[in-house]
Amino acid sequence: MSRVLWTVGKAAVRFHSAPILATVASLFAASSLASAATLCVNPGGTSGCHATISRAVAAAPAGSVVQVWPGTYKEHVVISKSLSLVSQTKLGATIDATGLPNGIFVNGMAAAPHAGVSNVLISGFKIRNAKFEGILIANALDVTVADNLVTDNNRALDIATPACNGIPAFETNEAEDCGEGVHLMATSHSSIVRNEVDHNSGGILISDETGPTFENLISQNYVHDNPFDCGITLASHGPATSVIPSAKLPFGISHNTVAHNVSAHNGTQVPGAGAGVGIFAPFPGTANSGNVVINNDLRNNGMPGFAMHNHASALAPAPPINLNDNVIVGNHFSGNAADMFDTATAGPTGINIQSTAPVFGTIIAENVFDNEVIDVAFKAPSGQIEAHFNDFSDGIGIDNLGTGSVNATENWWHCSTGPGPGQCATVHGPHVVSMPWLNATFAVE
């Protein structure tokens, strides 16, 4: 399916091109540094190679390449310098972190809340069985994680409680999921590309406990069958005062791009449950703004395909919550479930935006919905979302549950006569403008 991008969508993608350039720069940097210093690792430590990845990383000068030969390495690898860590054959090297915190920890927290490590490449590994995250990246700049399989991590999760026993104090909101399979914290201009992330509690997480997180690219990943949380999560959390005692407010998440991923069959078990992609600013002072979710396939998840939530009390004091200026464009939604708990929707839902704070600047455009009862649900005390050039299914196209407004002109309502009874999509709730509408689908086959 080809489609013409809406002007606003184009502007958003151009604005978010920096992470893509960072990916290319990282790969070229790794290539140019290979001649400077290359270390090898094999299970026997033969032929001048190290026997463990950790020993090779410790011995490597900054800017080196550490090449790992096929085999299983039972260790927790900590990277605190610029280097490239590469499996000699794709998925030939397995990091088995059974009983250990993480498979790989890119640790720049000595400089928190700023980036303490930069220019890191991790490519080609199978990473499994960690107590917490398979890959944790904290306080870093220009990190590329490409072509890995991150599976069966978050082993410390106690489903019955739920709790994540022993998780570090700096991970302030991870007691119920152990940080998902891949976790970026206080990280910028980094790229998570072409990975498969499955059978962890959740898939990929972006958060801000130890510093602001911004301008990252999450692209072309296959994130599936992570049962207790979202496939891809952007969540503003409370600051880690154990690392930064003076921190008073969340640092915030902004201007990240989630593009061309498949996020399927995540969050299907309770307790937990999750969306295909989630953007959350849950309490006063949290901020999650200016992010772009574009051209993803979001299907068969245990909550809506896309969820944007704020859970603060309507009477919560200042500081304000910033859940504005996010863009959801060009995605395919199919077969997702209803939202739950305090953000519940009346049936299976493609997009659900619920907030106790005003929401402004949200754009929903060029999305295709099928096999959903509600395509777009919106509930906020004020504010407005813009919904244009979407192809709605034959259920509820727009369900406005609050006192905010929806500008829903120029959409395809599953029939040429616009929203209404019969085989057309409908509008529920007040303050929805739907005329004029499209008289044919927007997407061009």
Side-chain angles (χ1 to χ4, degrees):
M1 177 181 292
S2 62
R3 54 181 76 211
V4 180
L5 285 176
W6 191 30
T7 303
V8 175
K10 288 181 180 178
V13 174
R14 284 199 298 270
F15 183 73
H16 288 72
S17 63
I20 299 174
L21 297 177
T23 304
V24 175
S26 293
L27 295 173
F28 273 106
S31 175
S32 64
L33 290 170
S35 59
T38 300
L39 293 79
C40 61
V41 182
N42 64 46
T46 59
S47 303
C49 297
H50 293 269
T52 71
I53 301 170
S54 295
R55 288 178 186 173
V57 167
S64 299
V65 175
V66 176
Q67 190 174 64
V68 183
W69 291 81
T72 297
Y73 301 85
K74 296 186 176 182
E75 52 186 308
H76 165 65
V77 179
V78 179
I79 299 173
S80 56
K81 67 184 83 169
S82 300
L83 59 78
S84 297
L85 182 62
V86 181
S87 174
Q88 189 264 342
T89 60
K90 184 177 179 181
L91 305 185
T94 296
I95 297 176
D96 182 350
T98 300
L100 300 170
N102 312 107
I104 299 175
F105 180 16
V106 180
N107 183 7
M109 288 201 300
H114 307 293
V117 63
S118 62
N119 299 305
V120 174
L121 170 65
I122 300 165
S123 180
F125 292 90
K126 184 176 183 179
I127 302 168
R128 63 183 309 167
N129 293 331
K131 292 171 63 179
F132 313 127
E133 298 94 341
I135 301 175
L136 172 60
I137 303 166
N139 294 84
L141 167 71
D142 191 13
V143 176
T144 299
V145 177
D147 300 306
N148 302 282
L149 171 61
V150 183
T151 185
D152 291 319
N153 297 287
N154 308 135
R155 290 301 187 119
L157 181 62
D158 179 356
I159 301 301
T161 309
C164 191
N165 298 319
I167 197 163
F170 64 79
E171 299 197 56
T172 60
N173 287 65
E174 299 310 314
E176 296 184 358
D177 52 40
C178 299
E180 282 89 332
V182 179
H183 185 181
L184 283 69
M185 176 194 307
T187 296
S188 68
H189 298 91
S190 295
S191 302
I192 312 298
V193 295
R194 299 190 307 271
N195 303 281
E196 183 173 2
V197 184
D198 69 272
H199 294 95
N200 310 282
S201 64
I204 299 171
L205 171 64
I206 294 176
S207 67
D208 59 346
E209 291 94 328
T210 57
T213 298
F214 57 95
E215 292 285 359
N216 298 293
L217 174 68
I218 311 297
S219 182
Q220 300 178 65
N221 301 285
Y222 180 28
V223 186
H224 65 99
D225 294 288
N226 299 283
F228 298 110
D229 215 318
C230 300
I232 301 170
T233 304
L234 287 69
S236 184
H237 288 164
T241 54
S242 61
V243 176
I244 311 168
S246 61
K248 303 299 182 184
L249 296 173
F251 292 99
I253 295 171
S254 63
H255 302 116
N256 300 282
T257 300
V258 179
H260 300 285
N261 303 281
V262 175
S263 183
H265 207 249
N266 301 290
T268 57
Q269 297 188 38
V270 177
V277 174
I279 294 179
F280 307 121
F283 52 84
T286 50
N288 210 333
S289 65
N291 303 291
V292 173
V293 178
I294 183 169
N295 291 345
N296 301 281
D297 184 0
L298 307 174
R299 49 187 162 86
N300 301 323
N301 295 288
M303 282 170 49
F306 174 84
M308 192 164 80
H309 294 168
N310 161 258
H311 302 275
S313 166
L315 301 177
I321 295 158
N322 183 354
L323 198 55
N324 299 324
D325 301 320
N326 294 294
V327 175
I328 307 99
V329 60
N331 304 284
H332 178 223
F333 297 89
S334 180
N336 298 288
D339 219 326
M340 305 173 68
F341 310 119
D342 60 324
T343 58
T345 57
T349 304
I351 296 174
N352 185 36
I353 299 172
Q354 289 211 30
S355 176
T356 60
V359 174
F360 295 97
T362 299
I363 296 170
I364 300 171
E366 300 184 21
N367 301 286
V368 175
F369 301 86
D370 61 68
N371 196 26
E372 309 282 8
V373 172
I374 302 166
D375 294 335
V376 178
F378 177 50
K379 185 177 182 180
S382 61
Q384 178 172 296
I385 63 173
E386 299 283 337
H388 307 290
F389 307 116
N390 299 286
D391 289 349
F392 292 132
S393 60
D394 59 356
I396 300 171
I398 300 288
D399 191 4
N400 191 12
L401 302 166
T403 51
S405 62
V406 182
N407 181 2
T409 58
E410 300 294 349
N411 292 289
W412 167 249
W413 296 86
H414 206 71
C415 63
S416 60
T417 57
Q423 297 300 310
C424 302
T426 60
V427 170
H428 285 195
H431 313 302
V432 179
V433 177
S434 59
M435 184 184 293
W437 52 76
L438 301 179
N439 58 17
T441 59
F442 181 79
V444 179
E445 297 293 341

